[in-house]
Amino acid sequence: MVIILWIILTPLVLGVLALGLYFLKAIVQGTIEGMREGRNYDPDAEETAARVASLGLLPPERQNTELPAPLQPALLVAVAAARAGDWQPAADLLEETAEKRDWELRTHYGEQLADVAAEDDTWLLAWEAARPDDPGAALLRARSTVVLAWKVRGAKRAQYTTQEQFQGFRSTLLRSRDEHTRAEALAPEDDPAPYVGQIWTAIGLGLPHEEMHRVWKEIADRAPHHYEATFSALQYWCAKWRGSEELARAFAVRAAAGAPAGTLMSVFPLIAHFEHDDSDSADVDRTPEMYATVDAVLADVAAADPEHPRLSEVRHLLAYYLYLQERWDEALEQFRLVDGHAGAFLPWRHRGNAAEEFCRMRDECVANGSGA
């Protein structure tokens, strides 16, 4: 009897199992297709991802969104030492830039070290006590006060900034004016660094154009093609701060005109365009004038010293505009040279997710380039 039951039930059981497997497969396939449709599935996405990986390019979660490029080893040591309370490496670093008259590197180091001092100036106070008239310490005191002022204000628009923040911002910037005057008096005669810091005080306090002209003359007499100084001054002349689109574009053109190859001055007309472009179409980036501007930056970058402290910042913006102009291979080359860092002020800080945007544009260049 049992044998007869097994003979009868076995086909039924196997049929039910087969039917269950069929429906399970259908459910799984439907789920996958639904996921693909919900994510705008691209049948070429796997191939692009494989090419991105083969080029050694990093995913969004591995992009540094704080910096445009790695810090120099000597600067990393000085920053770590300062945070541990030791000022000597920072002092040595700035003294070396003064001896070499490397003003680009001096302001770059000053910017990074001032940010550390704005968080905790215990080490800077110890340095000032040990060397009261040290020009490097005086420079960092002035610059760190400016950094602190902008931290007090915050990064939000004016309507979202409290009255207390504005008051603290203004009072701190006012203090920086005397500190910059002292830094100027102690600095090497041809050092533009104390004047560069003054520009951000002028921006924050809304100082008149005459004062900006005075500061700029001091800089131009010492270092007429100084990148950070020119970038900061261009910000002053932008419509969002103390100037206008016309004034900003005119300043940028003057800065680029006649500048030696490799000084990176050619990027400033591009920055002026970026700062005042409120269109929602890339057509404005594909005019003959814009192609010529981007070509000039490409040539400038190729001629620049590979150790120029601002070269990576320019590469980020250059990659962005080459992408907008659909010059895929040229754009990819710039993306590749800065990959791993998506912290450039322009253009990524203006975007919601810098790493995601950086990788999206980079990967689109991979998908559309000659290697596709």
mmCIF file of all heavy atoms in Angstrom, residues 4-25:
data_model
loop_
_atom_site.group_PDB
_atom_site.id
_atom_site.type_symbol
_atom_site.label_atom_id
_atom_site.label_comp_id
_atom_site.label_asym_id
_atom_site.label_seq_id
_atom_site.Cartn_x
_atom_site.Cartn_y
_atom_site.Cartn_z
ATOM 1 N N ILE A 4 2.389 1.893 -3.315
ATOM 2 C CA ILE A 4 1.426 2.454 -4.270
ATOM 3 C C ILE A 4 1.257 3.947 -4.046
ATOM 4 O O ILE A 4 1.224 4.748 -4.984
ATOM 5 C CB ILE A 4 0.057 1.726 -4.130
ATOM 6 C CG1 ILE A 4 0.204 0.259 -4.553
ATOM 7 C CG2 ILE A 4 -1.013 2.419 -4.963
ATOM 8 C CD1 ILE A 4 -1.025 -0.591 -4.289
ATOM 9 N N LEU A 5 1.179 4.369 -2.738
ATOM 10 C CA LEU A 5 1.048 5.798 -2.425
ATOM 11 C C LEU A 5 2.253 6.597 -2.941
ATOM 12 O O LEU A 5 2.121 7.705 -3.467
ATOM 13 C CB LEU A 5 0.888 6.006 -0.922
ATOM 14 C CG LEU A 5 -0.475 5.635 -0.333
ATOM 15 C CD1 LEU A 5 -0.440 5.714 1.185
ATOM 16 C CD2 LEU A 5 -1.552 6.579 -0.897
ATOM 17 N N TRP A 6 3.475 6.041 -2.750
ATOM 18 C CA TRP A 6 4.675 6.738 -3.238
ATOM 19 C C TRP A 6 4.637 6.891 -4.758
ATOM 20 O O TRP A 6 5.011 7.930 -5.313
ATOM 21 C CB TRP A 6 5.941 5.959 -2.842
ATOM 22 C CG TRP A 6 6.454 6.335 -1.485
ATOM 23 C CD1 TRP A 6 6.425 5.596 -0.349
ATOM 24 C CD2 TRP A 6 7.080 7.570 -1.161
ATOM 25 N NE1 TRP A 6 6.976 6.268 0.697
ATOM 26 C CE2 TRP A 6 7.402 7.509 0.218
ATOM 27 C CE3 TRP A 6 7.387 8.712 -1.888
ATOM 28 C CZ2 TRP A 6 8.028 8.554 0.872
ATOM 29 C CZ3 TRP A 6 8.012 9.736 -1.229
ATOM 30 C CH2 TRP A 6 8.326 9.675 0.141
ATOM 31 N N ILE A 7 4.138 5.824 -5.400
ATOM 32 C CA ILE A 7 4.069 5.878 -6.866
ATOM 33 C C ILE A 7 3.107 6.972 -7.312
ATOM 34 O O ILE A 7 3.353 7.711 -8.276
ATOM 35 C CB ILE A 7 3.631 4.511 -7.432
ATOM 36 C CG1 ILE A 7 4.730 3.467 -7.173
ATOM 37 C CG2 ILE A 7 3.336 4.607 -8.924
ATOM 38 C CD1 ILE A 7 4.326 2.043 -7.529
ATOM 39 N N ILE A 8 2.017 7.160 -6.569
ATOM 40 C CA ILE A 8 1.006 8.149 -6.940
ATOM 41 C C ILE A 8 1.459 9.567 -6.581
ATOM 42 O O ILE A 8 1.311 10.524 -7.360
ATOM 43 C CB ILE A 8 -0.345 7.827 -6.252
ATOM 44 C CG1 ILE A 8 -0.892 6.488 -6.765
ATOM 45 C CG2 ILE A 8 -1.353 8.938 -6.461
ATOM 46 C CD1 ILE A 8 -2.105 5.975 -6.006
ATOM 47 N N LEU A 9 2.035 9.743 -5.363
ATOM 48 C CA LEU A 9 2.354 11.085 -4.854
ATOM 49 C C LEU A 9 3.644 11.683 -5.434
ATOM 50 O O LEU A 9 3.780 12.900 -5.542
ATOM 51 C CB LEU A 9 2.459 11.058 -3.328
ATOM 52 C CG LEU A 9 1.158 10.781 -2.572
ATOM 53 C CD1 LEU A 9 1.423 10.649 -1.077
ATOM 54 C CD2 LEU A 9 0.145 11.902 -2.835
ATOM 55 N N THR A 10 4.603 10.845 -5.788
ATOM 56 C CA THR A 10 5.907 11.364 -6.235
ATOM 57 C C THR A 10 5.777 12.306 -7.438
ATOM 58 O O THR A 10 6.338 13.409 -7.443
ATOM 59 C CB THR A 10 6.867 10.210 -6.561
ATOM 60 O OG1 THR A 10 7.106 9.470 -5.366
ATOM 61 C CG2 THR A 10 8.190 10.745 -7.127
ATOM 62 N N PRO A 11 5.032 11.952 -8.492
ATOM 63 C CA PRO A 11 4.908 12.901 -9.619
ATOM 64 C C PRO A 11 4.260 14.217 -9.207
ATOM 65 O O PRO A 11 4.632 15.283 -9.701
ATOM 66 C CB PRO A 11 4.027 12.135 -10.613
ATOM 67 C CG PRO A 11 4.208 10.705 -10.270
ATOM 68 C CD PRO A 11 4.348 10.671 -8.773
ATOM 69 N N LEU A 12 3.276 14.120 -8.253
ATOM 70 C CA LEU A 12 2.619 15.346 -7.802
ATOM 71 C C LEU A 12 3.593 16.265 -7.063
ATOM 72 O O LEU A 12 3.635 17.491 -7.274
ATOM 73 C CB LEU A 12 1.430 14.988 -6.888
ATOM 74 C CG LEU A 12 0.238 14.321 -7.576
ATOM 75 C CD1 LEU A 12 -0.778 13.867 -6.526
ATOM 76 C CD2 LEU A 12 -0.410 15.284 -8.559
ATOM 77 N N VAL A 13 4.406 15.668 -6.183
ATOM 78 C CA VAL A 13 5.384 16.454 -5.411
ATOM 79 C C VAL A 13 6.406 17.094 -6.342
ATOM 80 O O VAL A 13 6.755 18.279 -6.223
ATOM 81 C CB VAL A 13 6.077 15.573 -4.359
ATOM 82 C CG1 VAL A 13 7.244 16.326 -3.721
ATOM 83 C CG2 VAL A 13 5.083 15.132 -3.314
ATOM 84 N N LEU A 14 6.916 16.306 -7.284
ATOM 85 C CA LEU A 14 7.909 16.843 -8.218
ATOM 86 C C LEU A 14 7.323 17.958 -9.077
ATOM 87 O O LEU A 14 7.983 18.956 -9.380
ATOM 88 C CB LEU A 14 8.432 15.722 -9.120
ATOM 89 C CG LEU A 14 9.301 14.664 -8.419
ATOM 90 C CD1 LEU A 14 9.653 13.542 -9.388
ATOM 91 C CD2 LEU A 14 10.573 15.304 -7.874
ATOM 92 N N GLY A 15 6.045 17.795 -9.431
ATOM 93 C CA GLY A 15 5.386 18.845 -10.221
ATOM 94 C C GLY A 15 5.258 20.139 -9.452
ATOM 95 O O GLY A 15 5.474 21.237 -9.988
ATOM 96 N N VAL A 16 4.866 20.031 -8.163
ATOM 97 C CA VAL A 16 4.753 21.225 -7.318
ATOM 98 C C VAL A 16 6.102 21.909 -7.157
ATOM 99 O O VAL A 16 6.229 23.140 -7.232
ATOM 100 C CB VAL A 16 4.152 20.856 -5.945
ATOM 101 C CG1 VAL A 16 4.262 22.025 -4.982
ATOM 102 C CG2 VAL A 16 2.702 20.417 -6.101
ATOM 103 N N LEU A 17 7.166 21.102 -6.937
ATOM 104 C CA LEU A 17 8.514 21.684 -6.792
ATOM 105 C C LEU A 17 8.940 22.401 -8.075
ATOM 106 O O LEU A 17 9.514 23.501 -8.035
ATOM 107 C CB LEU A 17 9.518 20.589 -6.450
ATOM 108 C CG LEU A 17 9.471 20.053 -5.013
ATOM 109 C CD1 LEU A 17 10.400 18.856 -4.865
ATOM 110 C CD2 LEU A 17 9.854 21.153 -4.029
ATOM 111 N N ALA A 18 8.677 21.776 -9.215
ATOM 112 C CA ALA A 18 9.058 22.406 -10.483
ATOM 113 C C ALA A 18 8.313 23.716 -10.696
ATOM 114 O O ALA A 18 8.892 24.717 -11.134
ATOM 115 C CB ALA A 18 8.758 21.442 -11.640
ATOM 116 N N LEU A 19 7.009 23.698 -10.371
ATOM 117 C CA LEU A 19 6.221 24.921 -10.515
ATOM 118 C C LEU A 19 6.732 26.021 -9.583
ATOM 119 O O LEU A 19 6.821 27.204 -9.951
ATOM 120 C CB LEU A 19 4.748 24.610 -10.213
ATOM 121 C CG LEU A 19 3.742 25.734 -10.512
ATOM 122 C CD1 LEU A 19 3.763 26.059 -12.011
ATOM 123 C CD2 LEU A 19 2.333 25.323 -10.079
ATOM 124 N N GLY A 20 7.123 25.638 -8.352
ATOM 125 C CA GLY A 20 7.663 26.604 -7.391
ATOM 126 C C GLY A 20 8.955 27.218 -7.871
ATOM 127 O O GLY A 20 9.174 28.423 -7.759
ATOM 128 N N LEU A 21 9.833 26.378 -8.429
ATOM 129 C CA LEU A 21 11.103 26.887 -8.953
ATOM 130 C C LEU A 21 10.878 27.840 -10.115
ATOM 131 O O LEU A 21 11.575 28.843 -10.263
ATOM 132 C CB LEU A 21 11.993 25.712 -9.394
ATOM 133 C CG LEU A 21 12.584 24.860 -8.263
ATOM 134 C CD1 LEU A 21 13.272 23.627 -8.829
ATOM 135 C CD2 LEU A 21 13.572 25.689 -7.457
ATOM 136 N N TYR A 22 9.885 27.513 -10.947
ATOM 137 C CA TYR A 22 9.576 28.376 -12.085
ATOM 138 C C TYR A 22 9.154 29.773 -11.627
ATOM 139 O O TYR A 22 9.636 30.798 -12.118
ATOM 140 C CB TYR A 22 8.464 27.750 -12.917
ATOM 141 C CG TYR A 22 7.957 28.650 -14.020
ATOM 142 C CD1 TYR A 22 8.645 28.768 -15.229
ATOM 143 C CD2 TYR A 22 6.793 29.402 -13.841
ATOM 144 C CE1 TYR A 22 8.183 29.599 -16.236
ATOM 145 C CE2 TYR A 22 6.330 30.246 -14.846
ATOM 146 C CZ TYR A 22 7.030 30.335 -16.033
ATOM 147 O OH TYR A 22 6.588 31.174 -17.020
ATOM 148 N N PHE A 23 8.226 29.790 -10.637
ATOM 149 C CA PHE A 23 7.760 31.091 -10.138
ATOM 150 C C PHE A 23 8.864 31.841 -9.402
ATOM 151 O O PHE A 23 8.955 33.061 -9.477
ATOM 152 C CB PHE A 23 6.545 30.898 -9.213
ATOM 153 C CG PHE A 23 5.263 30.680 -9.971
ATOM 154 C CD1 PHE A 23 4.595 29.466 -9.916
ATOM 155 C CD2 PHE A 23 4.741 31.684 -10.761
ATOM 156 C CE1 PHE A 23 3.418 29.259 -10.620
ATOM 157 C CE2 PHE A 23 3.557 31.492 -11.469
ATOM 158 C CZ PHE A 23 2.892 30.277 -11.403
ATOM 159 N N LEU A 24 9.720 31.114 -8.663
ATOM 160 C CA LEU A 24 10.833 31.769 -7.962
ATOM 161 C C LEU A 24 11.779 32.436 -8.951
ATOM 162 O O LEU A 24 12.219 33.576 -8.756
ATOM 163 C CB LEU A 24 11.595 30.734 -7.118
ATOM 164 C CG LEU A 24 12.810 31.264 -6.339
ATOM 165 C CD1 LEU A 24 12.356 32.342 -5.346
ATOM 166 C CD2 LEU A 24 13.525 30.132 -5.625
ATOM 167 N N LYS A 25 12.074 31.729 -10.051
ATOM 168 C CA LYS A 25 12.932 32.297 -11.079
ATOM 169 C C LYS A 25 12.306 33.553 -11.685
ATOM 170 O O LYS A 25 12.982 34.569 -11.917
ATOM 171 C CB LYS A 25 13.197 31.266 -12.162
ATOM 172 C CG LYS A 25 14.089 31.767 -13.292
ATOM 173 C CD LYS A 25 14.284 30.689 -14.337
ATOM 174 C CE LYS A 25 15.143 31.225 -15.489
ATOM 175 N NZ LYS A 25 15.320 30.205 -16.554
#
